[in-house]
Amino acid sequence: MLPEQHRIRTSAQFSATTRSGARNGRRNVVVYVRPTAEDRPARFGFVVSKAVGNAVRRNKVKRRLRELAQTTVRQVPYGCDVVVRALPPASAADWAELAADYAKAWRTASARAGVPRAAAGTPPAEDHRPGREEPAS
């Protein structure tokens, strides 16, 4: 779970990021990035609609996206708001595919938004920690 200071909570914050942020989409996700003051913590929000699947699938996709966002927060702790919207194919995507799509979309959207290149590090495409394999569903 992301710490509270790194979460987008209100619909106004979601709207501001999706309307005025730089956007980049891939097969599984669309990432919106809006630069903020450099002293404000990076904040993340997630949109996973019913088109993605039933509640179990939506929550699984959301958990995976939160894990990817935590990696990004470690690399970019300040200066941007990010909204990640899951697309319907995300429910069938495996971890590596979802992580690769997120990484590419994040990299492109953050560059378009003007997030400093040193701060816009690339999240890993795969998680190599032991015990992170997910069973086939």
Side-chain angles (χ1 to χ4, degrees):
M1 180 73 79
L2 287 168
E4 190 168 338
Q5 76 253 20
H6 292 294
R7 290 189 231 156
I8 292 179
R9 303 298 288 227
T10 67
S11 63
Q13 294 168 342
F14 274 94
S15 294
T17 303
T18 57
R19 290 177 191 222
S20 65
R23 177 184 70 164
N24 188 267
R26 297 286 185 226
R27 182 174 191 274
N28 296 305
V29 296
V30 178
V31 176
Y32 301 86
V33 180
R34 183 176 71 119
T36 60
E38 289 188 22
D39 60 337
R40 289 186 55 198
R43 297 182 303 179
F44 285 78
F46 304 96
V47 178
V48 184
S49 75
K50 286 185 178 181
V52 172
N54 65 18
V56 173
R57 289 192 178 272
R58 289 194 311 269
N59 286 326
K60 182 178 182 178
V61 169
K62 213 180 310 183
R63 283 192 309 271
R64 288 175 166 186
L65 292 174
R66 265 192 248 131
E67 179 69 27
L68 293 167
Q70 285 179 342
T71 303
T72 305
V73 165
R74 286 185 213 113
Q75 296 171 352
V76 186
Y78 297 99
C80 62
D81 284 348
V82 181
V83 171
V84 182
R85 182 168 48 99
L87 299 175
S91 67
D94 63 2
W95 171 258
E97 183 182 356
L98 189 62
D101 279 357
Y102 172 81
K104 290 175 188 173
W106 159 252
R107 199 171 29 243
T108 304
S110 63
R112 286 181 184 168
V115 174
R117 215 127 152 81
T122 305
E126 289 189 46
D127 192 354
H128 296 288
R129 291 180 286 176
R132 297 302 297 181
E133 299 82 25
E134 292 187 358
S137 43

